[in-house]
Amino acid sequence: MINLQQILSNIDLQADWIGLRYISEKSRKHYFRNAQPQSHQKKINQGIMVEVLAEGNIGYCATNRLDFIGIQEASKNALAQALSARQRGIFPFTTAMRPPNQGKYQSSAPRTLLNPTEIDDFLKEICLHLKINENIVQTHAMAQISDVEQHFISSNGADIYQQFNYIVSDYSAVGMAGNIIQKRSDHGMLARSYQGSEDFFDVESTLNRAQNIGRQALELLTAPPCPDTITTLVVAPDQMMLQIHESVGHPLEIDRILGDERNYAGSSFVKLADFGTLAYGSKLMNITFDPTVSGEIASYGYDDLGIKAEKEYLIKDGILLRGLGSQESQIRAGVKGVANGRCCHWNRPPIDRMANINLEAGNQSFDEIISNIESGIYMESNRSWSIDDYRNKFQFGCEYARLIKNGQLTKTVANPNYRGVTQSFWHNLIAVGDESTTEMYGTPICGKGEPNQMIRVGHASPVCVFDQVQVFGA
């Protein structure tokens, strides 16, 4: 372990504030296709980001040279960056933006170590269970395990140490009959992304789930196409993950609203004046930012600016309250935000990012929700997505759907899609499932920023019902 305190105390620099953020990530990835090993990867990635505040500007310089000379040189470069921004600064930063918090965080679930052979054997068995019959022409199973260590200290007394254990898995089956091809996955691409223990490799439930994935891939080969209609849409938690991510998470990022991301990732229909007043959706819409949930992939004790993470309502009873703005963006924008200054690696500075963005549960069971619908459609598992630069108009496709008639789930339909406009869609939220319908998923590949940062994001949601939605087939 590098002695950051000793290094920081010896750095000779005329600056108002200095921060050192050490990040080490060790990961291994196992991938099988058709029960045959395709790739095994093992990576170690470590380095330090130096941040320097001088004359109201923050400069950055990263280095993978972890001795004093390397870090001292990076500090000088970061100072030069800060001073070079004097003529172009858009906001005067102070040390108040980086409080001297101290603390620790550890992924809560106990570790159960699986050796590489055990993981390979398990992934092979998953592929075998996915292949229900010869019409399943391709199967795949992947698992990636990552251990991340972070230590952040600063010249004004911050000292935060955090350890994270991540596991991401992905299983799917491709069925083919004639010229018809259908793919069914384990709740969507990489959706089973969690923090904590490899204990979630529950053999019996995973293999049962794999067989069901194979059966549904075959089922879709003979299913009629999704009808083109305007109807009641019931959205499963694994698709609500994408709906929340794209139509709530990204448009509430304050740096987008300020224009910082407009060139690359787009802007937002939300304006700074909307916070505290905008009716984003119906009164059933309650969205929280919550990095405190055990096991959710984007949980942490402190963000990468050293701000303590707490649960906050972004939208309550349909009213927009807070943005996804870090300490820096909050001060610039003059609106309430959250502890979400996050970076993906040691060689990236923190920017405004989602963490765990969750939809709070309502009070109806799944059976109650379905029984109250005379005519509608139920959709699972994201397959495709498209949304405009302002995060307003969207079109999403799902893998699997069933029609609802007279309060009953009926026949399966293939290639289901739906489209809408963010605010009108969320205003048509007419029912929210209870805790028994809530499921937790995530993604390790939410992209944003220049240079790009791929970061881990979690989403939990119950089943939700939306009225008057345009649905259509491929």
Side-chain angles (χ1 to χ4, degrees):
M1 183 67 183
I2 302 169
N3 191 333
L4 291 184
Q5 291 287 3
Q6 182 178 359
I7 290 174
L8 180 60
S9 64
N10 289 323
I11 291 177
D12 182 17
L13 211 64
Q14 296 299 311
D16 300 318
W17 178 91
I18 304 172
L20 303 179
R21 182 182 303 103
Y22 167 78
I23 300 178
S24 172
E25 180 165 350
K26 300 175 183 179
S27 65
R28 63 184 193 270
K29 182 178 180 180
H30 303 248
Y31 173 49
F32 274 66
R33 184 173 65 204
N34 297 333
Q36 297 296 318
Q38 300 298 304
S39 67
H40 289 83
Q41 300 175 3
K42 186 175 183 179
K43 296 180 180 180
I44 299 176
N45 188 5
Q46 60 181 356
I48 285 180
M49 172 65 77
V50 182
E51 301 173 338
V52 172
L53 174 64
E55 299 190 23
N57 297 289
I58 299 178
Y60 304 89
C61 185
T63 179
N64 60 0
R65 182 175 173 179
L66 303 180
D67 59 4
F68 175 75
I69 295 175
I71 297 170
Q72 169 76 14
E73 187 64 26
S75 301
K76 292 178 180 179
N77 290 336
L79 176 61
Q81 292 285 341
L83 295 177
S84 69
R86 284 176 292 188
Q87 303 304 315
R88 299 183 298 275
I90 59 174
F91 193 88
F93 296 127
T94 71
T95 56
M97 307 183 74
R98 301 296 177 88
N101 288 330
Q102 299 185 359
K104 293 183 178 181
Y105 172 85
Q106 170 76 52
S107 292
S108 58
R111 296 284 288 167
T112 298
L113 296 177
L114 298 179
N115 65 49
T117 300
E118 291 174 314
I119 294 174
D120 285 350
D121 290 344
F122 190 41
L123 294 177
K124 179 179 179 180
E125 193 66 26
I126 289 170
C127 286
L128 295 174
H129 278 70
L130 287 165
K131 191 171 177 62
I132 298 297
N133 65 27
E134 293 306 309
N135 286 108
I136 299 296
V137 295
Q138 187 177 102
T139 63
H140 102 102
M142 183 279 293
Q144 181 168 328
I145 297 125
S146 302
D147 297 322
V148 179
E149 180 183 26
Q150 292 186 211
H151 190 197
F152 173 69
I153 67 169
S154 71
S155 57
N156 65 339
D159 190 349
I160 297 168
Y161 181 77
Q162 303 188 93
Q163 284 186 302
F164 306 93
N165 310 124
Y166 301 108
I167 184 156
V168 175
S169 66
D170 196 38
Y171 323 135
S172 67
V174 177
M176 184 171 69
N179 63 352
I180 298 175
I181 298 173
Q182 289 287 344
K183 179 181 178 179
R184 190 72 174 102
S185 69
D186 189 18
H187 296 286
M189 182 180 69
L190 302 174
R192 293 186 66 83
S193 298
Y194 300 101
Q195 185 179 141
S197 173
E198 294 159 17
D199 288 340
F200 97 97
F201 270 128
D202 181 272
V203 174
E204 183 177 359
S205 66
T206 301
L207 295 181
N208 287 340
R209 195 167 65 248
Q211 284 192 319
N212 190 54
I213 290 169
R215 282 192 292 266
Q216 290 185 348
L218 295 179
E219 187 181 344
L220 289 169
L221 293 175
T222 57
C226 175
D228 297 352
T229 186
I230 295 176
T231 189
T232 300
L233 173 65
V234 180
V235 185
D238 56 5
Q239 173 60 21
M240 283 303 301
M241 173 183 74
L242 189 279
Q243 186 69 56
I244 294 166
H245 186 96
E246 299 292 351
S247 69
V248 179
H250 281 310
L252 295 190
E253 292 164 340
I254 300 296
D255 56 355
R256 280 179 182 269
I257 300 171
L258 290 169
D260 297 357
E261 284 289 316
R262 187 176 299 153
N263 183 58
Y264 177 60
S267 185
S268 174
F269 71 90
V270 177
K271 300 176 178 61
L272 293 179
D274 291 335
F275 290 97
T277 61
L278 178 66
Y280 205 100
S282 79
K283 292 184 177 180
L284 298 177
M285 184 183 187
N286 292 283
I287 301 282
T288 57
F289 167 89
D290 193 0
T292 70
V293 180
S294 177
E296 200 162 358
I297 191 169
S299 291
Y300 49 85
Y302 299 83
D303 75 0
D304 294 322
L305 300 178
I307 310 301
K308 185 172 176 57
E310 296 177 336
K311 179 178 180 179
E312 301 283 2
Y313 274 86
L314 303 176
I315 299 170
K316 188 170 177 60
D317 301 328
I319 303 300
L320 176 61
L321 300 180
R322 287 177 181 263
L324 289 171
S326 64
Q327 183 88 337
E328 294 176 2
S329 292
Q330 291 174 51
I331 294 174
R332 283 176 58 196
V335 299
K336 293 180 179 179
V338 294
N340 72 322
R342 304 179 64 204
C343 60
C344 66
H345 290 299
W346 56 269
N347 57 358
R348 296 291 188 271
I351 58 177
D352 293 354
R353 299 308 302 262
M354 280 181 267
N356 299 329
I357 311 298
N358 302 331
L359 178 63
E360 299 295 297
N363 56 14
Q364 295 188 49
S365 69
F366 183 78
D367 289 343
E368 288 171 334
I369 283 175
I370 299 300
S371 66
N372 289 328
I373 298 173
E374 183 176 342
S375 178
I377 187 168
Y378 166 73
M379 295 190 190
E380 291 182 357
S381 306
N382 182 255
R383 183 175 65 177
S384 65
W385 65 94
S386 176
I387 191 166
D388 69 24
D389 285 353
Y390 287 85
R391 301 287 153 167
N392 199 21
K393 297 178 182 179
F394 62 82
Q395 177 175 303
F396 299 145
C398 293
E399 292 180 357
Y400 184 82
R402 294 179 68 183
L403 299 181
I404 304 169
K405 294 293 182 184
N406 301 319
Q408 297 288 328
L409 287 170
T410 61
K411 66 180 179 181
T412 299
V413 293
N415 305 321
N417 305 267
Y418 66 98
R419 61 168 60 100
V421 177
T422 293
Q423 282 184 264
S424 60
F425 182 81
W426 283 102
H427 275 280
N428 286 341
L429 177 64
I430 59 173
V432 178
D434 60 17
E435 290 285 355
S436 70
T437 75
T438 298
E439 297 173 6
M440 183 169 69
Y441 299 102
T443 177
I445 53 170
C446 175
K448 184 182 170 184
E450 295 183 283
N452 185 253
Q453 300 199 36
M454 305 294 282
I455 208 161
R456 300 172 176 97
V457 177
H459 299 293
S461 175
V463 170
C464 290
V465 185
F466 298 87
D467 194 24
Q468 294 293 298
V469 178
Q470 185 179 5
V471 305
F472 58 99

